Amino acid sequence: MDILKILLFVIFGVFLFGIESLGDDGLLVFDYYKETCPFVEDIIRRQVEIAVLKDPRMAASLLRLHFHDCFVMGCDASILLDSNDEMRGGPGWQVLLGRKDSLKASFDGANKYIPSPNSSLETLIANFHEQGLDVYDLVALSGSHTIGKARCLSFRQRAYQTSAEEEYDRYERYNSYRRVLRSICPETGQDQRVAPLDFRTPARFDNHYFLNILEGKALLGSDNVLITQDHEGEITRQVWSYASDQTLFFASFVKSIVKMGNINVLTANLGEVRTNCRFTNH
């Protein structure tokens, strides 16, 4: 059993004791577990700290879990994220609690709503807009790609296909970075090999993601298009702002991730506490 599975087992084990006895009025609150499990946040924070110390990729995994849940089934993983990024150098924020797991699981929904690593800018904007998030949220939340890794399968197209924008570019920045990616990810096979989303500081949550984009060194195609397909320049200006001001990026990220955390919220009888987070209870 890997670290993430162990962590989720501990956390959801805590949730299962007493949660159903709450007088659930359908509201999200900061002290949702105050009466039934008053130390739950301390327990989870400690377990997350231990997991991240053992494997820094855990911080990125929890962010990805939160993002996927919010876009598809409801933000039931939010408690895992409270102050989590702060451990890797990023901002902390308080999380309203009381979310339930979805009563259904949808593989088709995941494929429909979660942007692919090769999405166009138009597709990204449409995906986020469908969830009530705007372009500013898209750029701010994309900054979470400053931490974590991606499989070869996710960036192979980025490594071997040259866009019209890159062909036009007179500098060697794209070619040199592409050579690095090709050394990690062959044109066929080795799909499970990985590369850091941010080669500068792969285990730190900072604003280097935006510096990477400006230098043509974004790992995923869906990151690169924030610049190459931004024909009006609005996104490019936002990227420049975050690249030059980490404090501004952190403030924007917190605002957007809290906003995202309120997407498709399931409370009271609209959801359930799953005994196995991979499957519904019935």
Coordinates of all heavy atoms in Angstrom, one line a residue, residues 122-191:
E122 N -8.4 27.6 -25.6 CA -9.8 27.7 -25.7 C -10.6 26.7 -24.9 O -11.6 26.9 -24.2 CB -10.2 27.6 -27.2 CG -11.7 27.8 -27.5 CD -12.1 27.7 -28.9 OE1 -11.2 27.4 -29.8 OE2 -13.3 27.9 -29.3
T123 N -10.1 25.4 -25.0 CA -10.7 24.3 -24.2 C -10.5 24.5 -22.7 O -11.4 24.3 -21.9 CB -10.0 23.0 -24.6 OG1 -10.3 22.7 -26.0 CG2 -10.6 21.8 -23.8
L124 N -9.3 25.0 -22.3 CA -9.1 25.3 -20.9 C -10.1 26.3 -20.3 O -10.7 26.1 -19.3 CB -7.7 25.7 -20.6 CG -6.6 24.7 -20.9 CD1 -5.2 25.4 -20.8 CD2 -6.6 23.6 -19.8
I125 N -10.2 27.4 -21.1 CA -11.1 28.5 -20.6 C -12.5 28.0 -20.6 O -13.3 28.3 -19.6 CB -11.0 29.7 -21.6 CG1 -9.6 30.3 -21.5 CG2 -12.1 30.7 -21.3 CD1 -9.4 31.4 -22.5
A126 N -12.9 27.2 -21.5 CA -14.3 26.6 -21.5 C -14.5 25.7 -20.4 O -15.6 25.7 -19.7 CB -14.6 25.9 -22.9
N127 N -13.5 24.8 -20.1 CA -13.6 23.9 -18.9 C -13.8 24.6 -17.6 O -14.6 24.3 -16.8 CB -12.4 23.0 -18.8 CG -12.4 21.8 -19.8 OD1 -11.4 21.4 -20.3 ND2 -13.5 21.3 -20.1
F128 N -13.0 25.6 -17.4 CA -13.1 26.4 -16.2 C -14.3 27.2 -16.1 O -15.0 27.3 -15.0 CB -11.8 27.3 -16.1 CG -10.6 26.6 -15.5 CD1 -10.0 25.6 -16.2 CD2 -10.2 27.0 -14.2 CE1 -8.9 25.0 -15.6 CE2 -9.1 26.3 -13.6 CZ -8.4 25.3 -14.3
H129 N -14.8 27.8 -17.2 CA -16.0 28.6 -17.2 C -17.2 27.7 -16.9 O -18.1 28.2 -16.2 CB -16.2 29.2 -18.6 CG -17.4 30.0 -18.8 ND1 -17.6 31.3 -18.2 CD2 -18.6 29.8 -19.4 CE1 -18.8 31.7 -18.4 NE2 -19.4 30.8 -19.2
E130 N -17.2 26.5 -17.3 CA -18.3 25.6 -17.0 C -18.4 25.3 -15.5 O -19.5 25.0 -15.0 CB -18.1 24.3 -17.8 CG -19.4 23.4 -17.8 CD -19.3 22.3 -18.8 OE1 -18.4 22.3 -19.7 OE2 -20.2 21.5 -18.8
Q131 N -17.3 25.5 -14.8 CA -17.3 25.3 -13.3 C -17.5 26.6 -12.6 O -17.3 26.7 -11.3 CB -16.0 24.6 -12.9 CG -15.8 23.3 -13.6 CD -16.9 22.3 -13.3 OE1 -17.5 22.3 -12.2 NE2 -17.1 21.4 -14.3
G132 N -17.7 27.7 -13.3 CA -17.9 29.0 -12.6 C -16.6 29.7 -12.4 O -16.5 30.6 -11.5
L133 N -15.5 29.3 -13.0 CA -14.2 29.9 -12.8 C -13.8 30.7 -14.1 O -14.1 30.3 -15.2 CB -13.1 28.8 -12.5 CG -13.4 27.9 -11.3 CD1 -12.4 26.8 -11.2 CD2 -13.3 28.8 -10.0
D134 N -13.1 31.8 -13.9 CA -12.8 32.7 -15.0 C -11.3 32.5 -15.4 O -10.6 31.7 -14.8 CB -13.1 34.2 -14.7 CG -12.4 34.7 -13.4 OD1 -11.3 34.2 -13.1 OD2 -12.9 35.6 -12.8
V135 N -10.9 33.3 -16.3 CA -9.5 33.3 -16.8 C -8.5 33.5 -15.7 O -7.5 32.9 -15.7 CB -9.3 34.2 -18.0 CG1 -7.9 34.3 -18.4 CG2 -10.2 33.8 -19.2
Y136 N -8.8 34.5 -14.9 CA -7.9 34.8 -13.8 C -7.7 33.6 -12.9 O -6.6 33.3 -12.4 CB -8.4 36.0 -13.0 CG -8.1 37.3 -13.8 CD1 -9.2 37.8 -14.5 CD2 -6.9 37.9 -13.7 CE1 -9.0 39.0 -15.3 CE2 -6.7 39.1 -14.5 CZ -7.7 39.6 -15.2 OH -7.5 40.8 -15.9
D137 N -8.8 32.8 -12.6 CA -8.7 31.6 -11.8 C -7.9 30.6 -12.5 O -7.1 29.9 -11.9 CB -10.1 31.1 -11.5 CG -11.0 32.0 -10.7 OD1 -10.5 32.6 -9.7 OD2 -12.2 32.2 -11.1
L138 N -8.1 30.4 -13.8 CA -7.4 29.5 -14.6 C -5.9 29.7 -14.5 O -5.1 28.8 -14.2 CB -7.8 29.6 -16.1 CG -6.8 28.9 -17.1 CD1 -6.8 27.4 -16.9 CD2 -7.3 29.2 -18.5
V139 N -5.4 30.9 -14.6 CA -4.0 31.2 -14.6 C -3.5 31.0 -13.1 O -2.4 30.4 -13.0 CB -3.7 32.7 -15.0 CG1 -2.2 33.0 -15.0 CG2 -4.2 32.9 -16.5
A140 N -4.2 31.5 -12.2 CA -3.7 31.4 -10.8 C -3.6 29.9 -10.4 O -2.6 29.5 -9.8 CB -4.7 32.1 -9.8
L141 N -4.6 29.1 -10.7 CA -4.7 27.7 -10.3 C -3.7 26.9 -11.1 O -3.1 25.9 -10.6 CB -6.1 27.1 -10.4 CG -7.1 27.7 -9.5 CD1 -8.5 27.2 -9.8 CD2 -6.8 27.3 -8.0
S142 N -3.4 27.3 -12.3 CA -2.3 26.6 -13.1 C -1.0 26.7 -12.4 O -0.1 25.9 -12.6 CB -2.3 27.2 -14.5 OG -3.4 27.0 -15.2
G143 N -0.8 27.7 -11.6 CA 0.4 27.9 -10.8 C 0.7 26.8 -9.9 O 1.9 26.6 -9.4
S144 N -0.2 25.9 -9.6 CA 0.0 24.7 -8.8 C 1.0 23.8 -9.5 O 1.5 22.9 -8.8 CB -1.3 24.0 -8.4 OG -1.9 23.5 -9.6
H145 N 1.2 23.9 -10.8 CA 2.1 23.1 -11.5 C 3.5 23.5 -11.2 O 4.5 23.1 -12.0 CB 1.8 23.2 -13.0 CG 0.6 22.4 -13.4 ND1 0.1 22.4 -14.7 CD2 -0.3 21.7 -12.7 CE1 -1.0 21.7 -14.7 NE2 -1.3 21.2 -13.5
T146 N 3.8 24.2 -10.2 CA 5.1 24.5 -9.8 C 5.7 23.4 -8.9 O 6.8 23.4 -8.5 CB 5.1 25.8 -8.9 OG1 6.5 26.2 -8.6 CG2 4.4 25.7 -7.6
I147 N 4.8 22.4 -8.6 CA 5.2 21.3 -7.7 C 4.6 20.0 -8.3 O 3.6 20.0 -8.8 CB 4.8 21.6 -6.3 CG1 5.4 20.6 -5.3 CG2 3.3 21.5 -6.2 CD1 5.2 20.9 -3.9
G148 N 5.4 18.9 -8.1 CA 4.9 17.7 -8.6 C 5.6 17.2 -9.9 O 6.5 17.8 -10.4
K149 N 5.2 16.1 -10.4 CA 5.8 15.5 -11.6 C 4.7 15.0 -12.5 O 3.5 14.8 -12.2 CB 6.7 14.3 -11.2 CG 7.8 14.6 -10.4 CD 8.7 13.4 -10.0 CE 9.9 13.8 -9.2 NZ 10.8 12.7 -8.9
A150 N 5.0 14.8 -13.8 CA 4.1 14.3 -14.8 C 4.7 13.1 -15.5 O 5.9 13.1 -15.7 CB 3.7 15.4 -15.8
R151 N 3.9 12.2 -16.0 CA 4.3 11.1 -16.7 C 4.7 11.4 -18.1 O 4.1 12.4 -18.7 CB 3.3 10.0 -16.7 CG 3.0 9.4 -15.3 CD 2.0 8.2 -15.5 NE 0.8 8.6 -16.1 CZ 0.0 7.8 -16.7 NH1 0.3 6.5 -16.9 NH2 -1.1 8.2 -17.3
C152 N 5.6 10.6 -18.7 CA 6.0 10.8 -20.1 C 4.8 10.9 -21.0 O 4.7 11.7 -22.0 CB 6.9 9.7 -20.5 SG 7.2 9.5 -22.3
L153 N 3.8 10.1 -20.7 CA 2.5 10.0 -21.6 C 1.9 11.4 -21.6 O 1.2 11.8 -22.6 CB 1.6 9.0 -21.0 CG 0.4 8.6 -21.8 CD1 0.8 8.0 -23.1 CD2 -0.6 7.7 -21.0
S154 N 2.1 12.2 -20.6 CA 1.4 13.5 -20.5 C 2.2 14.6 -21.2 O 1.6 15.6 -21.6 CB 1.2 13.9 -19.0 OG 0.4 13.0 -18.3
F155 N 3.5 14.4 -21.4 CA 4.2 15.5 -22.1 C 5.0 15.1 -23.4 O 5.7 15.8 -23.9 CB 5.2 16.2 -21.1 CG 6.3 15.3 -20.6 CD1 7.5 15.1 -21.3 CD2 6.2 14.7 -19.4 CE1 8.5 14.3 -20.8 CE2 7.2 13.8 -18.9 CZ 8.4 13.6 -19.6
R156 N 4.7 13.9 -23.8 CA 5.3 13.4 -25.1 C 5.0 14.3 -26.3 O 5.8 14.7 -27.1 CB 4.9 12.0 -25.4 CG 5.5 11.4 -26.7 CD 5.1 10.0 -26.9 NE 6.0 9.1 -26.1 CZ 5.5 8.2 -25.3 NH1 4.2 8.1 -25.1 NH2 6.3 7.4 -24.5
Q157 N 3.7 14.7 -26.4 CA 3.3 15.6 -27.5 C 4.0 16.9 -27.4 O 4.5 17.5 -28.4 CB 1.8 15.8 -27.4 CG 1.3 16.7 -28.6 CD -0.2 16.8 -28.6 OE1 -0.9 15.8 -28.3 NE2 -0.8 17.9 -28.9
R158 N 4.2 17.4 -26.2 CA 5.0 18.6 -26.0 C 6.4 18.5 -26.4 O 7.0 19.4 -27.0 CB 4.9 19.0 -24.5 CG 5.9 20.1 -24.0 CD 5.3 21.4 -24.3 NE 6.1 22.5 -23.7 CZ 7.0 23.2 -24.3 NH1 7.3 23.0 -25.6 NH2 7.7 24.1 -23.7
A159 N 7.0 17.3 -26.2 CA 8.4 17.1 -26.5 C 8.7 16.9 -28.0 O 9.7 17.3 -28.5 CB 8.9 15.8 -25.8
Y160 N 7.7 16.3 -28.8 CA 8.0 16.0 -30.1 C 7.2 16.7 -31.2 O 7.5 16.6 -32.4 CB 7.7 14.4 -30.3 CG 8.7 13.6 -29.6 CD1 8.5 13.1 -28.3 CD2 10.0 13.3 -30.2 CE1 9.4 12.4 -27.6 CE2 10.9 12.6 -29.5 CZ 10.7 12.1 -28.2 OH 11.6 11.4 -27.5
Q161 N 6.2 17.5 -30.8 CA 5.4 18.3 -31.8 C 5.8 19.7 -31.6 O 5.8 20.3 -30.5 CB 3.9 18.1 -31.6 CG 3.4 16.7 -32.1 CD 1.9 16.6 -32.1 OE1 1.2 17.6 -31.9 NE2 1.4 15.4 -32.3
T162 N 6.1 20.4 -32.8 CA 6.4 21.8 -32.8 C 5.3 22.6 -33.3 O 4.8 22.4 -34.4 CB 7.7 22.0 -33.7 OG1 8.7 21.2 -33.2 CG2 8.1 23.5 -33.6
S163 N 4.9 23.6 -32.5 CA 3.7 24.4 -32.9 C 4.2 25.5 -33.8 O 5.4 25.8 -33.9 CB 3.1 25.1 -31.6 OG 4.0 26.0 -31.0
A164 N 3.3 26.2 -34.5 CA 3.6 27.3 -35.4 C 4.2 28.4 -34.6 O 5.2 29.1 -35.1 CB 2.3 27.8 -36.0
E165 N 3.8 28.7 -33.4 CA 4.4 29.7 -32.6 C 5.8 29.5 -32.3 O 6.7 30.4 -32.3 CB 3.6 29.9 -31.2 CG 2.2 30.4 -31.4 CD 1.2 29.3 -31.6 OE1 1.6 28.1 -31.8 OE2 0.0 29.6 -31.6
E166 N 6.2 28.2 -32.0 CA 7.6 27.9 -31.7 C 8.4 27.9 -32.9 O 9.6 28.3 -32.9 CB 7.6 26.5 -31.0 CG 7.0 26.5 -29.7 CD 6.9 25.1 -29.1 OE1 7.5 24.1 -29.7 OE2 6.3 24.9 -28.0
E167 N 7.9 27.5 -34.1 CA 8.6 27.6 -35.3 C 9.0 29.0 -35.6 O 10.1 29.3 -36.2 CB 7.8 27.0 -36.5 CG 7.6 25.5 -36.5 CD 8.9 24.8 -36.9 OE1 9.9 25.4 -37.1 OE2 8.8 23.5 -37.0
Y168 N 8.1 29.9 -35.3 CA 8.3 31.4 -35.5 C 9.4 31.9 -34.6 O 10.1 32.9 -35.0 CB 7.0 32.1 -35.4 CG 7.1 33.6 -35.7 CD1 7.2 34.1 -37.0 CD2 7.2 34.5 -34.7 CE1 7.3 35.4 -37.3 CE2 7.3 35.9 -34.9 CZ 7.3 36.3 -36.2 OH 7.4 37.7 -36.5
D169 N 9.5 31.4 -33.4 CA 10.4 31.9 -32.4 C 11.9 31.8 -32.9 O 12.3 30.7 -33.4 CB 10.3 31.2 -31.1 CG 10.9 31.9 -29.9 OD1 12.1 31.9 -29.9 OD2 10.2 32.5 -29.1
R170 N 12.6 32.8 -32.8 CA 14.0 32.8 -33.3 C 15.0 32.3 -32.3 O 16.2 32.1 -32.7 CB 14.4 34.3 -33.7 CG 13.5 34.9 -34.8 CD 13.9 36.3 -35.0 NE 13.1 36.9 -36.1 CZ 13.4 36.9 -37.4 NH1 14.5 36.3 -37.8 NH2 12.6 37.5 -38.3
Y171 N 14.6 32.1 -31.1 CA 15.6 31.7 -30.0 C 15.6 30.2 -29.9 O 14.8 29.4 -30.4 CB 15.2 32.3 -28.7 CG 15.2 33.8 -28.7 CD1 14.0 34.5 -28.9 CD2 16.3 34.5 -28.6 CE1 13.9 35.9 -29.0 CE2 16.3 35.9 -28.7 CZ 15.1 36.6 -28.8 OH 15.1 38.0 -28.9
E172 N 16.7 29.7 -29.2 CA 16.9 28.3 -29.0 C 16.2 27.7 -27.8 O 16.3 26.5 -27.5 CB 18.4 28.0 -28.9 CG 19.1 28.1 -30.2 CD 18.7 27.1 -31.2 OE1 18.6 25.9 -30.9 OE2 18.5 27.4 -32.4
R173 N 15.4 28.5 -27.1 CA 14.9 28.1 -25.8 C 14.0 26.9 -25.9 O 14.0 26.0 -25.1 CB 14.1 29.3 -25.1 CG 13.0 29.8 -25.9 CD 12.3 31.0 -25.2 NE 11.2 31.5 -26.0 CZ 10.4 32.4 -25.5 NH1 10.5 32.9 -24.3 NH2 9.4 32.9 -26.3
Y174 N 13.2 26.8 -27.0 CA 12.2 25.7 -27.1 C 13.0 24.4 -27.5 O 12.8 23.4 -27.0 CB 11.2 26.0 -28.2 CG 10.2 27.1 -27.9 CD1 10.3 28.3 -28.5 CD2 9.3 26.9 -26.9 CE1 9.4 29.3 -28.2 CE2 8.4 27.9 -26.6 CZ 8.4 29.1 -27.2 OH 7.5 30.1 -26.9
N175 N 14.0 24.6 -28.4 CA 14.8 23.4 -28.8 C 15.6 22.8 -27.7 O 15.6 21.6 -27.6 CB 15.7 23.8 -30.0 CG 14.9 24.1 -31.3 OD1 13.8 23.5 -31.5 ND2 15.4 24.9 -32.1
S176 N 16.2 23.6 -26.9 CA 17.1 23.1 -25.8 C 16.2 22.4 -24.8 O 16.6 21.3 -24.2 CB 17.9 24.2 -25.2 OG 17.0 25.2 -24.6
Y177 N 15.1 23.0 -24.5 CA 14.2 22.4 -23.5 C 13.6 21.1 -24.0 O 13.5 20.1 -23.3 CB 13.1 23.3 -23.1 CG 12.2 22.8 -22.0 CD1 12.7 22.5 -20.7 CD2 10.8 22.7 -22.2 CE1 11.8 22.0 -19.7 CE2 10.0 22.2 -21.2 CZ 10.5 21.9 -20.0 OH 9.6 21.4 -19.0
R178 N 13.3 21.1 -25.3 CA 12.7 19.9 -25.9 C 13.7 18.7 -25.9 O 13.4 17.6 -25.7 CB 12.3 20.2 -27.3 CG 11.5 19.0 -28.0 CD 11.0 19.4 -29.3 NE 9.8 20.2 -29.2 CZ 9.7 21.5 -29.5 NH1 10.8 22.1 -30.0 NH2 8.6 22.1 -29.4
R179 N 15.0 19.1 -26.1 CA 16.0 18.0 -26.0 C 16.1 17.4 -24.6 O 16.3 16.2 -24.5 CB 17.4 18.6 -26.4 CG 17.6 18.8 -27.9 CD 19.1 19.0 -28.2 NE 19.5 20.3 -27.6 CZ 19.5 21.5 -28.3 NH1 19.0 21.5 -29.5 NH2 20.0 22.6 -27.7
V180 N 15.9 18.2 -23.6 CA 15.9 17.6 -22.2 C 14.7 16.7 -22.1 O 14.8 15.6 -21.5 CB 15.8 18.8 -21.2 CG1 15.5 18.2 -19.8 CG2 17.0 19.6 -21.2
L181 N 13.5 17.1 -22.6 CA 12.3 16.3 -22.4 C 12.5 15.0 -23.2 O 12.1 13.9 -22.8 CB 11.1 17.0 -22.9 CG 10.7 18.3 -22.2 CD1 9.4 18.9 -22.7 CD2 10.6 18.1 -20.7
R182 N 13.1 15.1 -24.4 CA 13.3 13.9 -25.2 C 14.3 12.9 -24.6 O 14.2 11.7 -24.8 CB 13.7 14.3 -26.6 CG 12.7 14.9 -27.4 CD 13.2 15.4 -28.8 NE 12.1 16.1 -29.6 CZ 12.3 16.6 -30.7 NH1 13.5 16.7 -31.3 NH2 11.3 17.2 -31.4
S183 N 15.2 13.4 -23.8 CA 16.2 12.5 -23.1 C 15.5 11.7 -22.0 O 15.9 10.7 -21.6 CB 17.3 13.3 -22.5 OG 16.9 14.1 -21.4
I184 N 14.4 12.2 -21.5 CA 13.6 11.6 -20.5 C 12.5 10.7 -21.1 O 12.3 9.6 -20.6 CB 13.0 12.6 -19.5 CG1 14.0 13.5 -18.9 CG2 12.1 11.9 -18.5 CD1 13.5 14.6 -18.1
C185 N 11.9 11.2 -22.1 CA 10.7 10.5 -22.7 C 10.9 10.2 -24.1 O 10.9 11.1 -25.0 CB 9.5 11.5 -22.5 SG 7.9 10.8 -23.2
P186 N 11.1 8.9 -24.5 CA 11.3 8.5 -25.9 C 10.0 8.7 -26.7 O 9.0 8.8 -26.1 CB 11.7 7.0 -25.8 CG 11.2 6.6 -24.5 CD 11.2 7.7 -23.6
E187 N 10.2 8.7 -28.0 CA 9.0 8.9 -28.8 C 7.9 7.8 -28.7 O 6.8 8.0 -28.9 CB 9.4 9.0 -30.3 CG 8.4 9.7 -31.2 CD 9.0 10.2 -32.4 OE1 10.2 10.0 -32.7 OE2 8.2 10.8 -33.2
T188 N 8.4 6.6 -28.3 CA 7.5 5.5 -28.1 C 7.9 4.7 -26.8 O 9.1 4.7 -26.6 CB 7.4 4.5 -29.2 OG1 8.7 4.0 -29.5 CG2 6.8 5.2 -30.5
G189 N 7.0 4.2 -26.1 CA 7.3 3.4 -24.9 C 7.7 4.3 -23.7 O 7.7 5.5 -23.8
Q190 N 8.0 3.6 -22.6 CA 8.5 4.3 -21.3 C 7.4 5.3 -20.9 O 7.8 6.4 -20.4 CB 9.8 4.9 -21.5 CG 10.9 4.0 -21.9 CD 11.3 3.0 -20.8 OE1 11.2 3.3 -19.6 NE2 11.5 1.8 -21.2
D191 N 6.2 5.0 -21.0 CA 5.1 6.0 -20.7 C 5.1 6.4 -19.2 O 4.6 7.5 -18.9 CB 3.7 5.4 -21.0 CG 3.5 5.2 -22.5 OD1 4.3 5.8 -23.3 OD2 2.5 4.6 -22.8

